[in-house]
Amino acid sequence: MKHRTSLRRILIILFWILLWQAASQIIRNDILFAGPMDVVRSLCRLLPTVDFWAAIGQSFCKITLGFLAAFLCGILLGSLAFRLRLLKDLLEPLMLLSRSIPVASFVILALIWAGSENLSVFISFLVVLPMIYVNTLAGLASTDRQLTEMAEVFSLSLPRRVRFLYLPALMPYLASGCKTALGMSWKSGVAAEVIGVPSHTIGEGLYMAKIYLATPDVFAWTLVIILVSALFEQVFLLLLNRISQLNERSRL
């Protein structure tokens, strides 16, 4: 069954690559639309260069830092807001505002406040924070009330409540929120880099490709963003799943 599913996915991917190649052959203009072979040639030219790997490394570190900071702050603020009604009411307008304001507005403000070097860290943080916060609140609120009442009766300590009651309820919501947040952190982070153009970043590579009308390079950098983002997402979600499994085993 797994073999058939894998084969089907490969065939679907091949279908879209062939359709992409056919479209490029019809248009026949590398500036307007680059084909898959053009993108492969562009990647082969970029891969051996030091600047290419430096750009990936710097963007990865900054966007990851912004995501992880937002992940931890979102869990902390969500947990505190779950316990303190006043804090929840105070944070609600702020979280609503951060979800509503366009990323471009955040980028411009961040450029004024902090400059371009740490722009992707700041933007990734602002985009991810409300997602993690909302899912943390929802996960904690889904905890079985009967179990929490039982914990009160037996005076279960806070660490044990977190481990045996709140964490199992929280993990599915957290994993679901991270699936969206991880992709958005990369989209917003790279978009911020394209606007701010900090040195030695993926955003700078995209911006320079746009300046020189190097459409194959734009496609190549976009493919790199997709691959790095997908890899980071898989690794992070695997770690979350592993933590959840270890916690489940310890409860047995």
Side-chain angles (χ1 to χ4, degrees):
M1 190 66 180
K2 287 184 179 180
H3 177 71
R4 288 184 179 180
T5 304
S6 299
L7 181 61
R8 184 178 179 180
R9 286 179 180 174
I10 292 170
L11 290 174
I12 289 171
I13 292 170
L14 285 174
F15 167 78
W16 286 109
I17 290 174
L18 289 172
L19 190 64
W20 178 12
Q21 179 63 32
S24 69
Q25 289 296 319
I26 292 169
I27 296 172
R28 289 185 175 277
N29 189 326
D30 291 347
I31 295 176
L32 290 178
F33 192 82
M37 295 308 298
D38 298 321
V39 175
V40 169
R41 282 193 289 268
S42 180
L43 274 174
C44 290
R45 179 173 51 79
L46 290 170
L47 281 170
T49 62
V50 175
D51 289 343
F52 175 77
W53 293 105
I56 293 175
Q58 184 155 205
S59 292
F60 178 82
C61 290
K62 290 183 176 181
I63 293 171
T64 301
L65 178 61
F67 172 82
L68 291 177
F71 179 77
L72 295 174
C73 287
I75 293 175
L76 178 61
L77 289 176
S79 301
L80 291 173
F82 176 70
R83 300 294 297 177
L84 304 171
R85 178 72 186 186
L86 178 60
L87 181 62
K88 181 182 177 182
D89 292 339
L90 285 172
L91 289 175
E92 189 172 354
L94 187 62
M95 293 299 170
L96 181 62
L97 191 67
S98 62
R99 292 201 305 269
S100 304
I101 294 178
V103 174
S105 299
F106 274 139
V107 172
I108 293 168
L109 288 172
L111 277 171
I112 296 170
W113 295 337
S116 63
E117 287 305 312
N118 295 311
L119 189 61
S120 53
V121 179
F122 185 69
I123 296 303
S124 298
F125 178 86
L126 286 178
V127 169
V128 172
L129 180 62
M131 298 181 187
I132 302 300
Y133 171 82
V134 168
N135 279 276
T136 299
L137 271 179
L140 294 175
S142 70
T143 307
D144 193 327
R145 288 188 177 274
Q146 292 182 341
L147 292 177
T148 55
E149 289 172 2
M150 187 183 299
E152 289 284 350
V153 170
F154 288 99
S155 300
L156 200 67
S157 65
L158 182 59
R160 286 182 174 273
R161 290 185 195 188
V162 170
R163 182 178 177 183
F164 296 115
L165 299 181
Y166 295 119
L167 193 58
L170 176 62
M171 290 305 288
Y173 286 85
L174 210 54
S176 177
C178 284
K179 285 181 182 178
T180 304
L182 283 161
M184 285 302 299
S185 67
W186 274 90
K187 288 179 183 179
S188 59
V190 173
E193 289 178 349
V194 172
I195 297 173
V197 200
S199 301
H200 307 297
T201 59
I202 293 175
E204 184 191 33
L206 277 169
Y207 181 79
M208 296 308 295
K210 187 264 291 187
I211 290 293
Y212 291 108
L213 299 178
T215 307
D217 284 6
V218 173
F219 276 67
W221 280 112
T222 304
L223 182 61
V224 168
I225 295 165
I226 293 169
L227 292 175
V228 175
S229 174
L231 180 61
F232 180 55
E233 179 181 327
Q234 290 298 318
V235 172
F236 191 81
L237 291 176
L238 187 65
L239 287 173
L240 273 186
N241 186 49
R242 183 62 177 166
I243 291 170
S244 181
Q245 288 176 350
L246 289 172
N247 187 60
E248 285 292 330
R249 288 176 186 174
S250 66
R251 294 168 62 199
L252 299 176

PDB file of all heavy atoms in Angstrom, residues 90-113:
ATOM      1  N   LEU A  90      -6.240  41.448  28.408  1.00  0.00           N
ATOM      2  CA  LEU A  90      -5.275  42.482  28.006  1.00  0.00           C
ATOM      3  C   LEU A  90      -4.556  42.114  26.704  1.00  0.00           C
ATOM      4  O   LEU A  90      -4.275  42.983  25.868  1.00  0.00           O
ATOM      5  CB  LEU A  90      -4.246  42.682  29.123  1.00  0.00           C
ATOM      6  CG  LEU A  90      -4.707  43.444  30.366  1.00  0.00           C
ATOM      7  CD1 LEU A  90      -3.641  43.374  31.450  1.00  0.00           C
ATOM      8  CD2 LEU A  90      -5.056  44.886  30.028  1.00  0.00           C
ATOM      9  N   LEU A  91      -4.254  40.830  26.534  1.00  0.00           N
ATOM     10  CA  LEU A  91      -3.507  40.378  25.355  1.00  0.00           C
ATOM     11  C   LEU A  91      -4.391  40.205  24.117  1.00  0.00           C
ATOM     12  O   LEU A  91      -3.874  40.232  22.992  1.00  0.00           O
ATOM     13  CB  LEU A  91      -2.802  39.050  25.655  1.00  0.00           C
ATOM     14  CG  LEU A  91      -1.606  39.103  26.610  1.00  0.00           C
ATOM     15  CD1 LEU A  91      -1.097  37.701  26.888  1.00  0.00           C
ATOM     16  CD2 LEU A  91      -0.491  39.962  26.029  1.00  0.00           C
ATOM     17  N   GLU A  92      -5.684  40.030  24.312  1.00  0.00           N
ATOM     18  CA  GLU A  92      -6.571  39.740  23.179  1.00  0.00           C
ATOM     19  C   GLU A  92      -6.520  40.803  22.081  1.00  0.00           C
ATOM     20  O   GLU A  92      -6.363  40.459  20.894  1.00  0.00           O
ATOM     21  CB  GLU A  92      -8.006  39.565  23.681  1.00  0.00           C
ATOM     22  CG  GLU A  92      -8.947  39.049  22.594  1.00  0.00           C
ATOM     23  CD  GLU A  92     -10.316  38.696  23.139  1.00  0.00           C
ATOM     24  OE1 GLU A  92     -10.514  38.743  24.369  1.00  0.00           O
ATOM     25  OE2 GLU A  92     -11.189  38.364  22.327  1.00  0.00           O
ATOM     26  N   PRO A  93      -6.619  42.111  22.394  1.00  0.00           N
ATOM     27  CA  PRO A  93      -6.524  43.119  21.315  1.00  0.00           C
ATOM     28  C   PRO A  93      -5.169  43.109  20.614  1.00  0.00           C
ATOM     29  O   PRO A  93      -5.086  43.294  19.403  1.00  0.00           O
ATOM     30  CB  PRO A  93      -6.748  44.453  22.053  1.00  0.00           C
ATOM     31  CG  PRO A  93      -7.386  44.099  23.338  1.00  0.00           C
ATOM     32  CD  PRO A  93      -6.857  42.743  23.698  1.00  0.00           C
ATOM     33  N   LEU A  94      -4.098  42.869  21.388  1.00  0.00           N
ATOM     34  CA  LEU A  94      -2.748  42.851  20.826  1.00  0.00           C
ATOM     35  C   LEU A  94      -2.583  41.695  19.845  1.00  0.00           C
ATOM     36  O   LEU A  94      -2.018  41.858  18.755  1.00  0.00           O
ATOM     37  CB  LEU A  94      -1.725  42.744  21.961  1.00  0.00           C
ATOM     38  CG  LEU A  94      -0.257  42.878  21.573  1.00  0.00           C
ATOM     39  CD1 LEU A  94       0.027  44.252  20.984  1.00  0.00           C
ATOM     40  CD2 LEU A  94       0.635  42.623  22.780  1.00  0.00           C
ATOM     41  N   MET A  95      -3.077  40.514  20.217  1.00  0.00           N
ATOM     42  CA  MET A  95      -2.972  39.341  19.348  1.00  0.00           C
ATOM     43  C   MET A  95      -3.836  39.508  18.100  1.00  0.00           C
ATOM     44  O   MET A  95      -3.443  39.115  17.002  1.00  0.00           O
ATOM     45  CB  MET A  95      -3.379  38.080  20.113  1.00  0.00           C
ATOM     46  CG  MET A  95      -2.423  37.720  21.235  1.00  0.00           C
ATOM     47  SD  MET A  95      -0.745  37.399  20.610  1.00  0.00           S
ATOM     48  CE  MET A  95       0.171  37.316  22.168  1.00  0.00           C
ATOM     49  N   LEU A  96      -5.015  40.093  18.275  1.00  0.00           N
ATOM     50  CA  LEU A  96      -5.891  40.350  17.137  1.00  0.00           C
ATOM     51  C   LEU A  96      -5.252  41.339  16.177  1.00  0.00           C
ATOM     52  O   LEU A  96      -5.306  41.173  14.955  1.00  0.00           O
ATOM     53  CB  LEU A  96      -7.238  40.888  17.635  1.00  0.00           C
ATOM     54  CG  LEU A  96      -8.287  41.199  16.558  1.00  0.00           C
ATOM     55  CD1 LEU A  96      -8.662  39.937  15.795  1.00  0.00           C
ATOM     56  CD2 LEU A  96      -9.531  41.823  17.182  1.00  0.00           C
ATOM     57  N   LEU A  97      -4.608  42.348  16.734  1.00  0.00           N
ATOM     58  CA  LEU A  97      -3.931  43.357  15.922  1.00  0.00           C
ATOM     59  C   LEU A  97      -2.770  42.746  15.142  1.00  0.00           C
ATOM     60  O   LEU A  97      -2.593  43.020  13.949  1.00  0.00           O
ATOM     61  CB  LEU A  97      -3.417  44.481  16.825  1.00  0.00           C
ATOM     62  CG  LEU A  97      -2.905  45.748  16.141  1.00  0.00           C
ATOM     63  CD1 LEU A  97      -4.049  46.475  15.455  1.00  0.00           C
ATOM     64  CD2 LEU A  97      -2.230  46.660  17.154  1.00  0.00           C
ATOM     65  N   SER A  98      -1.983  41.900  15.798  1.00  0.00           N
ATOM     66  CA  SER A  98      -0.823  41.290  15.140  1.00  0.00           C
ATOM     67  C   SER A  98      -1.243  40.328  14.031  1.00  0.00           C
ATOM     68  O   SER A  98      -0.503  40.130  13.068  1.00  0.00           O
ATOM     69  CB  SER A  98       0.047  40.556  16.168  1.00  0.00           C
ATOM     70  OG  SER A  98      -0.677  39.503  16.765  1.00  0.00           O
ATOM     71  N   ARG A  99      -2.448  39.738  14.154  1.00  0.00           N
ATOM     72  CA  ARG A  99      -2.943  38.853  13.092  1.00  0.00           C
ATOM     73  C   ARG A  99      -3.535  39.636  11.930  1.00  0.00           C
ATOM     74  O   ARG A  99      -3.610  39.121  10.817  1.00  0.00           O
ATOM     75  CB  ARG A  99      -4.008  37.887  13.640  1.00  0.00           C
ATOM     76  CG  ARG A  99      -3.487  36.864  14.620  1.00  0.00           C
ATOM     77  CD  ARG A  99      -4.426  35.663  14.721  1.00  0.00           C
ATOM     78  NE  ARG A  99      -5.785  36.042  15.046  1.00  0.00           N
ATOM     79  CZ  ARG A  99      -6.259  36.128  16.291  1.00  0.00           C
ATOM     80  NH1 ARG A  99      -5.457  35.909  17.319  1.00  0.00           N
ATOM     81  NH2 ARG A  99      -7.511  36.449  16.505  1.00  0.00           N
ATOM     82  N   SER A 100      -3.952  40.867  12.184  1.00  0.00           N
ATOM     83  CA  SER A 100      -4.662  41.652  11.170  1.00  0.00           C
ATOM     84  C   SER A 100      -3.750  42.552  10.348  1.00  0.00           C
ATOM     85  O   SER A 100      -4.013  42.797   9.163  1.00  0.00           O
ATOM     86  CB  SER A 100      -5.740  42.511  11.841  1.00  0.00           C
ATOM     87  OG  SER A 100      -6.623  41.704  12.601  1.00  0.00           O
ATOM     88  N   ILE A 101      -2.691  43.077  10.969  1.00  0.00           N
ATOM     89  CA  ILE A 101      -1.801  44.013  10.264  1.00  0.00           C
ATOM     90  C   ILE A 101      -1.013  43.283   9.176  1.00  0.00           C
ATOM     91  O   ILE A 101      -0.452  42.216   9.424  1.00  0.00           O
ATOM     92  CB  ILE A 101      -0.823  44.684  11.256  1.00  0.00           C
ATOM     93  CG1 ILE A 101      -1.596  45.580  12.230  1.00  0.00           C
ATOM     94  CG2 ILE A 101       0.216  45.520  10.528  1.00  0.00           C
ATOM     95  CD1 ILE A 101      -0.727  46.234  13.275  1.00  0.00           C
ATOM     96  N   PRO A 102      -0.968  43.823   7.953  1.00  0.00           N
ATOM     97  CA  PRO A 102      -0.184  43.190   6.875  1.00  0.00           C
ATOM     98  C   PRO A 102       1.304  43.080   7.230  1.00  0.00           C
ATOM     99  O   PRO A 102       1.839  43.943   7.940  1.00  0.00           O
ATOM    100  CB  PRO A 102      -0.387  44.139   5.687  1.00  0.00           C
ATOM    101  CG  PRO A 102      -1.605  44.932   6.017  1.00  0.00           C
ATOM    102  CD  PRO A 102      -1.650  45.042   7.500  1.00  0.00           C
ATOM    103  N   VAL A 103       1.938  42.037   6.725  1.00  0.00           N
ATOM    104  CA  VAL A 103       3.362  41.819   7.002  1.00  0.00           C
ATOM    105  C   VAL A 103       4.201  42.998   6.503  1.00  0.00           C
ATOM    106  O   VAL A 103       5.171  43.387   7.146  1.00  0.00           O
ATOM    107  CB  VAL A 103       3.842  40.502   6.348  1.00  0.00           C
ATOM    108  CG1 VAL A 103       5.359  40.344   6.498  1.00  0.00           C
ATOM    109  CG2 VAL A 103       3.132  39.314   6.970  1.00  0.00           C
ATOM    110  N   ALA A 104       3.810  43.581   5.367  1.00  0.00           N
ATOM    111  CA  ALA A 104       4.563  44.705   4.805  1.00  0.00           C
ATOM    112  C   ALA A 104       4.621  45.878   5.785  1.00  0.00           C
ATOM    113  O   ALA A 104       5.655  46.552   5.902  1.00  0.00           O
ATOM    114  CB  ALA A 104       3.926  45.153   3.492  1.00  0.00           C
ATOM    115  N   SER A 105       3.528  46.130   6.499  1.00  0.00           N
ATOM    116  CA  SER A 105       3.504  47.219   7.490  1.00  0.00           C
ATOM    117  C   SER A 105       4.463  46.921   8.637  1.00  0.00           C
ATOM    118  O   SER A 105       5.197  47.800   9.100  1.00  0.00           O
ATOM    119  CB  SER A 105       2.088  47.402   8.033  1.00  0.00           C
ATOM    120  OG  SER A 105       1.189  47.745   7.009  1.00  0.00           O
ATOM    121  N   PHE A 106       4.454  45.665   9.091  1.00  0.00           N
ATOM    122  CA  PHE A 106       5.392  45.246  10.141  1.00  0.00           C
ATOM    123  C   PHE A 106       6.834  45.454   9.683  1.00  0.00           C
ATOM    124  O   PHE A 106       7.684  45.909  10.452  1.00  0.00           O
ATOM    125  CB  PHE A 106       5.181  43.773  10.478  1.00  0.00           C
ATOM    126  CG  PHE A 106       4.108  43.527  11.505  1.00  0.00           C
ATOM    127  CD1 PHE A 106       3.216  42.476  11.353  1.00  0.00           C
ATOM    128  CD2 PHE A 106       3.998  44.326  12.628  1.00  0.00           C
ATOM    129  CE1 PHE A 106       2.230  42.241  12.294  1.00  0.00           C
ATOM    130  CE2 PHE A 106       3.018  44.095  13.582  1.00  0.00           C
ATOM    131  CZ  PHE A 106       2.124  43.054  13.406  1.00  0.00           C
ATOM    132  N   VAL A 107       7.099  45.084   8.421  1.00  0.00           N
ATOM    133  CA  VAL A 107       8.466  45.175   7.886  1.00  0.00           C
ATOM    134  C   VAL A 107       8.946  46.618   7.878  1.00  0.00           C
ATOM    135  O   VAL A 107      10.073  46.920   8.284  1.00  0.00           O
ATOM    136  CB  VAL A 107       8.540  44.563   6.471  1.00  0.00           C
ATOM    137  CG1 VAL A 107       9.907  44.834   5.847  1.00  0.00           C
ATOM    138  CG2 VAL A 107       8.264  43.066   6.505  1.00  0.00           C
ATOM    139  N   ILE A 108       8.095  47.522   7.412  1.00  0.00           N
ATOM    140  CA  ILE A 108       8.474  48.931   7.343  1.00  0.00           C
ATOM    141  C   ILE A 108       8.748  49.487   8.740  1.00  0.00           C
ATOM    142  O   ILE A 108       9.736  50.195   8.968  1.00  0.00           O
ATOM    143  CB  ILE A 108       7.374  49.751   6.635  1.00  0.00           C
ATOM    144  CG1 ILE A 108       7.300  49.336   5.155  1.00  0.00           C
ATOM    145  CG2 ILE A 108       7.660  51.257   6.742  1.00  0.00           C
ATOM    146  CD1 ILE A 108       6.092  49.855   4.426  1.00  0.00           C
ATOM    147  N   LEU A 109       7.873  49.153   9.687  1.00  0.00           N
ATOM    148  CA  LEU A 109       8.076  49.611  11.068  1.00  0.00           C
ATOM    149  C   LEU A 109       9.355  49.029  11.658  1.00  0.00           C
ATOM    150  O   LEU A 109      10.108  49.720  12.348  1.00  0.00           O
ATOM    151  CB  LEU A 109       6.873  49.207  11.930  1.00  0.00           C
ATOM    152  CG  LEU A 109       5.571  49.978  11.671  1.00  0.00           C
ATOM    153  CD1 LEU A 109       4.420  49.352  12.439  1.00  0.00           C
ATOM    154  CD2 LEU A 109       5.727  51.443  12.055  1.00  0.00           C
ATOM    155  N   ALA A 110       9.596  47.739  11.392  1.00  0.00           N
ATOM    156  CA  ALA A 110      10.798  47.086  11.913  1.00  0.00           C
ATOM    157  C   ALA A 110      12.060  47.695  11.316  1.00  0.00           C
ATOM    158  O   ALA A 110      13.087  47.810  12.003  1.00  0.00           O
ATOM    159  CB  ALA A 110      10.747  45.594  11.614  1.00  0.00           C
ATOM    160  N   LEU A 111      12.009  48.091  10.044  1.00  0.00           N
ATOM    161  CA  LEU A 111      13.158  48.755   9.414  1.00  0.00           C
ATOM    162  C   LEU A 111      13.472  50.081  10.109  1.00  0.00           C
ATOM    163  O   LEU A 111      14.636  50.439  10.298  1.00  0.00           O
ATOM    164  CB  LEU A 111      12.867  49.009   7.930  1.00  0.00           C
ATOM    165  CG  LEU A 111      13.126  47.845   6.974  1.00  0.00           C
ATOM    166  CD1 LEU A 111      12.584  48.164   5.590  1.00  0.00           C
ATOM    167  CD2 LEU A 111      14.608  47.530   6.899  1.00  0.00           C
ATOM    168  N   ILE A 112      12.407  50.791  10.496  1.00  0.00           N
ATOM    169  CA  ILE A 112      12.594  52.068  11.190  1.00  0.00           C
ATOM    170  C   ILE A 112      13.164  51.841  12.590  1.00  0.00           C
ATOM    171  O   ILE A 112      14.062  52.547  13.039  1.00  0.00           O
ATOM    172  CB  ILE A 112      11.259  52.834  11.270  1.00  0.00           C
ATOM    173  CG1 ILE A 112      10.772  53.195   9.862  1.00  0.00           C
ATOM    174  CG2 ILE A 112      11.399  54.090  12.132  1.00  0.00           C
ATOM    175  CD1 ILE A 112       9.357  53.735   9.811  1.00  0.00           C
ATOM    176  N   TRP A 113      12.640  50.809  13.282  1.00  0.00           N
ATOM    177  CA  TRP A 113      13.012  50.572  14.677  1.00  0.00           C
ATOM    178  C   TRP A 113      14.345  49.849  14.843  1.00  0.00           C
ATOM    179  O   TRP A 113      15.153  50.208  15.688  1.00  0.00           O
ATOM    180  CB  TRP A 113      11.929  49.759  15.386  1.00  0.00           C
ATOM    181  CG  TRP A 113      10.625  50.478  15.513  1.00  0.00           C
ATOM    182  CD1 TRP A 113      10.411  51.831  15.485  1.00  0.00           C
ATOM    183  CD2 TRP A 113       9.333  49.880  15.683  1.00  0.00           C
ATOM    184  NE1 TRP A 113       9.072  52.119  15.617  1.00  0.00           N
ATOM    185  CE2 TRP A 113       8.379  50.940  15.748  1.00  0.00           C
ATOM    186  CE3 TRP A 113       8.870  48.570  15.779  1.00  0.00           C
ATOM    187  CZ2 TRP A 113       7.013  50.713  15.914  1.00  0.00           C
ATOM    188  CZ3 TRP A 113       7.506  48.345  15.947  1.00  0.00           C
ATOM    189  CH2 TRP A 113       6.597  49.415  16.012  1.00  0.00           C
TER     190      TRP A 113
END
